[in-house]
Amino acid sequence: MGHAMEWLGLHFITELSESGQVILNCMHDPFLVLLAYLVACAGSFATLDMAERVAHAENPSSQRLWRWVGAGCLAGGIWAMHFIGMLAFKVPVDVHFQLPVTLLSLLIALLTSWLVMYTLSRPALSFWRCLKASVWIGMGISTMHYVGMGAMKSQAMVYYQPVLFALSILVAIGASLAALLLARHLRNGTGMFHQLLKYSASLVLGAGIISMHFTGMAAFNLALPSGTPLPQPGEHNHLQLGVTVAIMTLLIIGSCISAALADKKLQIKDHDLQRVNSLLSQLDQARVSLQQVAHYDALTSLINRRGFNQIFAEKLIEKTHEGGMLAVLFLDIDHFKRINDSLGHDAGDELLKVLASHIKASVRSHEDVVARFGGDEFCILIDLHDRDEARQMAQRIMQKMKDPIELAGRRMVMTTSIGISVFPEDGKTCEELLKNADLALYQSKGSGRNGLNFFSANLKARATLELQLEEELRHALREDAGLMLYYQPIYNLKTGQVSKLEALIRWQHPIHGFLAPDRFIPIAEANGLITELDKWVLRKACEDLGELSRQGRESLKIAVNCSPLTLVREELPSEIEQALRSAGVAPQRLELEVTEHALMGKIADTLVLLQQIRALGVSLSIDDFGTGYSSLAYLKRLPLNTLKIDRSFIVDIPRSAQDMEIVQAIIVMAHTLHLEVVTEGVETFEQYQLLEHHGCDYVQGYLLSRPIPLAGLRPVLDEINQRRHTFSVTPLSLVHGTTALM
Ligand code: C2E
Ligand code: MG
Ligand code: MG
């Protein structure tokens, strides 16, 4: 101990009594003391501030930086305080300072301050840790102080009072502990109060530091041997130097604090930016998941039209730049609507799921894109090298689709129609390719379904033609130009007279010539023109009924065809009534032909409509019977008068015995339901005879007459009505002894 003290140049007052020396009377300059205190406070404040910075720093490097800045400020504060404190010390002897030792004290201050900052930058700071650190720090400060004092050289000997000396070390430790605890407490927090707390803490700490200094100074005594003449102190301008050092230190600390402040602001801004960024990315995620939902078909877990379009667009760009082929396959389940109508939507949904899985099973799992476009429409996008690949895939799908499906206790076989367009030949854009695939699909459906078609320029020409026809049909309807009704006689086998005429529309087209309804009715149906067309036919037929009356054929009825699309319109009964009234004809002379398909939809609504029409007195017949799926129970509920057997059952008669049996069965069935039977498409005499034999009520067909205009009707009707004699001499009639025709 004594040795260390010796090394530090410490002599305690106890030794003084033996040497017979006198203690010099020393004073402090109060202004410089105040200045020293201010500097200590500034250093303390800077330390607290930097500790806060370190705690909030985001990366190790900036943490290190602020730790050093803090250490620098504290060291600067303490050391400058010490230095100014020394300048304030007025000694009656000449004093000078050794620079190396002074610099050493500065180094010690710096190390100690670094220890302060290091301790403060620990995340978890327990009281014990603070205490341990403050012992070290206190010792450090004391060492700095006494090393600094050691730099002071003069004639006089230096003696310390041991109690005060020890007290100064305790004060240093105590001040350090207070500093650490305060700083620990003030590391987190914001606002005015926090700031105020920081200011007061700095004042307290400054006081701690300076009291350590002055306790040390109080322990300090200078002594000269008694009798030594007091030398005159040199002319030193301590005040000026003190102020300069204080200003410089304050400036440095001040700029460090402003740097910290700027950093804090920057960090807050950075945080805001980060918050905004994370918000943006959250929004982005939300959008992506929303998009996933929006691009997804919940029923079949395939992507939907939007999802498909997006992928399609991307692929198209890729292929356009890098070359290569793409094929779009448009699928439509044949007669899907019938399943929905007859078995209900739940069964329809179930079926769609199975069909979707069939389609997925037939494509190459990863590369090919399968989408559901809604309803029973599916679309597939495939990469390919030649058209044949697309054909093979389509065939594979069609084959797979024919797997029997168990649904609602039934076993059914579904078929599919497919239309294909190929990039780049059939189009360059998504819209074009989809439209062309759709056209090809339309063609497949038109040619009997369960087939596949590639798009061709030919198809396109037809499509443009249809567009043109649509426009012209609209014009024809508006101007009442070119459309006309032809009439085909319906012959009553029981009376041997033509008792009805079927009104069949024709179109005398300015360029394409005479057009049959098959050419333009589908166009009208596809474009909503059909209701206009049916209304036109109804009006015209009623007018013609009036004309027939004037010709003396009051008993002739006219049957008018009604599209399934017209049969859903509530206004239909009133329109019929209106047409009859303005032509002045009895409702009993009008018959409405509705197809089996038209009756398959919403039965309840249709039933109401049919009943209203029947209530007018107008008759109803079911057209093209046998081509749909009507059940007997179904027919029984409808207010029908007549059943028209479709021509397809007649064509092969008499060659096909089976067809004749079917026709026979239909006739019997219709009669049990109290329906009269008309057979369409009778072209041969044999057919006529067989039908007559099996009790058919009416026949209609080229055998009797083709459809003809009203003007040419009179001779034809006369001739047919005269023919009864000719028919009656046929062998069949004779065999059965039928004299009814006579
Ligand atoms: P539909 O109502 O079954 O009419 C019978 C069709 O069979 C008529 O064809 C008629 O000319 C044809 N036909 C009659 N007898 C024979 C025959 O012995 N042999 C052959 N091969 N054919 C025969 P059309 O006039 O071409 O009409 C076709 C279809 O167009 C009609 O079938 C009907 O569904 C529809 N249609 C005709 N006119 C109208 C109309 O004014 N309005 C509506 N909505 N549809 C109409
Ligand atoms: Mg008809
Ligand atoms: Mg028909």
Side-chain angles (χ1 to χ4, degrees):
M1 174 77 178
H3 205 73
M5 295 298 164
E6 201 60 45
W7 179 79
L8 279 171
L10 285 176
H11 306 275
F12 289 99
I13 259 328
T14 39
E15 305 160 24
L16 194 63
S17 49
E18 303 142 30
S19 55
Q21 295 184 336
V22 285
I23 294 171
L24 294 176
N25 194 12
C26 304
M27 300 273 293
H28 275 98
D29 179 335
F31 176 72
L32 282 175
V33 170
L34 186 68
L35 209 57
Y37 174 60
L38 271 179
V39 169
C41 291
S44 303
F45 182 80
T47 312
L48 293 178
D49 216 37
M50 299 312 150
E52 204 182 309
R53 264 330 33 232
V54 173
H56 291 136
E58 254 127 31
N59 47 27
S61 70
S62 71
Q63 221 169 28
R64 247 194 322 272
L65 172 77
W66 290 116
R67 204 182 291 147
W68 275 111
V69 172
C73 287
L74 185 60
I78 294 173
W79 188 82
M81 177 276 301
H82 174 78
F83 189 82
I84 298 167
M86 293 307 291
L87 292 177
F89 193 51
K90 288 194 262 188
V91 200
V93 289
D94 200 20
V95 174
H96 72 272
F97 292 92
Q98 283 182 314
L99 187 65
V101 184
T102 306
L103 287 180
L104 178 69
S105 75
L106 178 61
L107 185 69
I108 294 170
L110 197 61
L111 287 176
T112 309
S113 301
W114 189 86
L115 183 61
V116 172
M117 288 313 292
Y118 175 77
T119 310
L120 283 178
S121 52
R122 306 295 287 264
L125 202 53
S126 66
F127 178 79
W128 281 112
R129 187 178 293 239
C130 285
L131 190 64
K132 259 193 298 184
S134 46
V135 169
W136 280 106
I137 294 162
M139 302 273 273
I141 292 174
S142 310
T143 312
M144 177 222 68
H145 177 81
Y146 290 108
V147 169
M149 295 303 284
M152 194 166 92
K153 295 291 172 216
S154 68
Q155 278 177 287
M157 278 289 287
V158 175
Y159 291 94
Y160 290 96
Q161 287 183 11
V163 179
L164 285 176
F165 176 78
L167 187 65
S168 76
I169 296 178
L170 282 180
V171 168
I173 293 175
S176 308
L177 184 63
L180 287 183
L181 292 177
L182 275 170
R184 179 179 75 161
H185 182 69
L186 292 173
R187 274 196 303 199
N188 297 307
T190 46
M192 266 288 274
F193 183 68
H194 172 79
Q195 207 62 21
L196 267 174
L197 219 63
K198 236 160 70 179
Y199 288 131
S200 15
S202 326
L203 294 181
V204 172
L205 289 179
I209 294 169
I210 205 135
S211 47
M212 180 267 143
H213 178 81
F214 284 104
T215 317
M217 290 311 285
F220 181 86
N221 289 283
L222 282 175
L224 282 174
S226 41
T228 321
L230 275 183
Q232 282 307 301
E235 276 304 304
H236 294 299
N237 200 345
H238 285 178
L239 186 68
Q240 199 180 2
L241 186 61
V243 169
T244 310
V245 169
I247 287 177
M248 272 173 60
T249 314
L250 286 176
L251 271 180
I252 292 172
I253 290 175
S255 47
C256 287
I257 290 173
S258 358
L261 199 72
D263 182 66
K264 188 174 173 175
K265 285 210 172 128
L266 215 77
Q267 197 178 28
I268 290 171
K269 235 189 210 162
D270 217 52
H271 271 200
D272 284 353
L273 213 77
Q274 269 172 15
R275 260 223 324 275
V276 169
N277 269 339
S278 87
L279 222 85
L280 280 179
S281 80
Q282 270 170 28
L283 267 176
D284 232 39
Q285 269 168 11
R287 214 197 38 179
V288 166
S289 56
L290 259 179
Q291 219 170 36
Q292 258 161 11
V293 174
H295 286 175
Y296 182 78
D297 173 46
L299 181 66
T300 59
S301 40
L302 296 173
I303 53 168
N304 61 14
R305 188 189 289 266
R306 282 164 73 180
F308 181 88
N309 282 344
Q310 199 174 35
I311 298 176
F312 192 12
E314 284 163 13
K315 282 221 171 195
L316 214 55
I317 291 170
E318 181 193 312
K319 295 287 169 192
T320 309
H321 288 297
E322 293 164 19
M325 288 170 81
L326 278 174
V328 181
L329 281 73
F330 231 132
L331 270 78
D332 192 283
I333 313 299
D334 297 332
H335 303 301
F336 179 75
K337 195 174 172 301
R338 290 187 200 166
I339 302 286
N340 250 357
D341 290 342
S342 54
L343 298 181
H345 283 274
D346 287 344
D349 282 357
E350 218 34 62
L351 181 65
L352 280 175
K353 276 197 230 174
V354 178
L355 293 174
S357 72
H358 280 357
I359 297 173
K360 266 196 282 192
S362 341
V363 300
R364 298 164 298 182
S365 51
H366 290 304
E367 307 134 60
D368 305 331
V369 183
V370 183
R372 178 174 168 231
F373 274 19
D376 58 337
E377 275 184 5
F378 294 89
C379 197
I380 304 171
L381 184 66
I382 59 171
D383 285 295
L384 71 170
H385 302 291
D386 61 279
R387 285 174 168 260
D388 234 33
E389 271 179 65
R391 185 189 303 280
Q392 279 160 14
M393 174 162 299
Q395 278 164 348
R396 210 158 55 229
I397 293 169
M398 280 163 60
Q399 196 53 47
K400 181 76 187 166
M401 289 298 224
K402 282 196 216 151
D403 282 1
I405 297 168
E406 298 274 350
L407 191 70
R410 295 189 195 194
R411 224 171 124 79
M412 52 184 74
V413 173
M414 302 304 293
T415 57
T416 323
S417 302
I418 301 181
I420 306 169
S421 68
V422 175
F423 172 83
E425 290 105 276
D426 301 338
K428 301 276 186 284
T429 64
C430 297
E431 296 79 46
E432 208 179 342
L433 286 161
L434 280 172
K435 203 184 80 200
N436 289 344
D438 197 20
L439 262 173
L441 172 64
Y442 195 73
Q443 173 81 357
S444 303
K445 283 201 272 194
S447 52
R449 304 173 196 262
N450 187 31
L452 70 92
N453 263 285
F454 277 90
F455 170 77
S456 67
N458 201 351
L459 268 183
K460 189 166 181 170
R462 190 177 306 185
T464 23
L465 176 67
E466 284 187 0
L467 216 67
Q468 204 180 340
L469 276 182
E470 179 201 330
E471 220 20 75
E472 286 158 349
L473 183 61
R474 209 181 290 275
H475 177 82
L477 277 168
R478 209 186 308 124
E479 306 293 317
D480 197 358
L483 293 172
M484 53 186 111
L485 283 184
Y486 272 40
Y487 290 98
Q488 187 177 35
I490 299 174
Y491 182 73
N492 187 333
L493 286 167
K494 304 281 151 58
T495 62
Q497 298 284 316
V498 171
S499 53
K500 297 192 235 182
L501 302 169
E502 179 173 4
L504 295 160
I505 195 164
R506 302 288 181 264
W507 185 11
Q508 185 63 52
H509 190 277
I511 299 159
H512 305 297
F514 198 67
L515 296 181
D518 296 341
R519 281 292 278 119
F520 58 92
I521 294 271
I523 296 176
E525 284 184 335
N527 298 290
L529 281 173
I530 192 68
T531 49
E532 278 304 303
L533 188 140
D534 279 353
K535 243 178 15 196
W536 182 88
V537 172
L538 196 63
R539 260 203 328 269
K540 185 85 180 112
C542 288
E543 281 168 21
D544 287 351
L545 274 172
E547 174 61 27
L548 286 170
S549 301
R550 288 188 280 282
Q551 291 176 13
R553 298 184 188 275
E554 287 95 350
S555 59
L556 258 186
K557 292 174 80 173
I558 287 183
V560 167
N561 290 285
C562 174
S563 157
L565 295 174
T566 302
L567 203 64
V568 295
R569 295 177 56 245
E570 279 174 33
E571 307 90 320
L572 185 62
S574 63
E575 280 170 12
I576 294 173
E577 197 185 4
Q578 178 67 36
L580 285 166
R581 189 158 346 113
S582 54
V585 288
Q588 285 70 25
R589 294 179 65 198
L590 186 69
E591 188 165 281
L592 217 62
E593 291 191 5
V594 294
T595 62
E596 221 185 337
H597 296 308
L599 299 175
M600 300 268 308
K602 288 194 194 134
I603 173 86
D605 298 352
T606 320
L607 194 60
V608 171
L609 214 63
L610 291 180
Q611 276 160 350
Q612 286 173 346
I613 295 168
R614 281 289 288 126
L616 293 175
V618 174
S619 316
L620 287 172
S621 72
I622 182 162
D623 204 353
D624 302 343
F625 186 81
T627 57
Y629 287 82
S630 332
S631 67
L632 269 176
Y634 196 90
L635 281 184
K636 234 170 80 178
R637 294 174 59 188
L638 299 172
L640 299 172
N641 305 87
T642 313
L643 182 153
K644 295 184 83 173
I645 300 176
D646 193 64
R647 197 175 78 85
S648 55
F649 293 99
I650 308 300
V651 236
D652 289 334
I653 290 174
R655 257 180 301 129
S656 162
Q658 198 191 5
D659 277 3
M660 192 58 236
E661 274 168 33
I662 293 172
V663 169
Q664 205 182 330
I666 295 174
I667 293 171
V668 172
M669 181 208 80
H671 283 164
T672 36
L673 291 173
H674 306 291
L675 298 175
E676 291 188 311
V677 178
V678 179
T679 308
E680 297 181 295
V682 178
E683 294 184 0
T684 69
F685 192 54
E686 278 156 298
Q687 290 166 343
Y688 172 91
Q689 282 177 315
L690 278 166
L691 289 167
E692 186 189 32
H693 173 66
H694 288 295
C696 180
D697 303 292
Y698 301 87
V699 288
Q700 176 185 357
Y702 294 169
L703 176 70
L704 290 152
S705 166
R706 286 181 177 261
I708 41 170
L710 188 71
L713 215 51
R714 185 200 290 265
V716 175
L717 291 182
D718 284 345
E719 199 256 335
I720 297 173
N721 289 341
Q722 295 300 311
R723 248 196 246 172
R724 55 193 292 191
H725 183 67
T726 333
F727 289 141
S728 70
V729 294
T730 61
L732 202 82
S733 306
L734 288 177
V735 168
H736 290 277
T738 316
T739 45
L741 281 173
M742 303 279 233

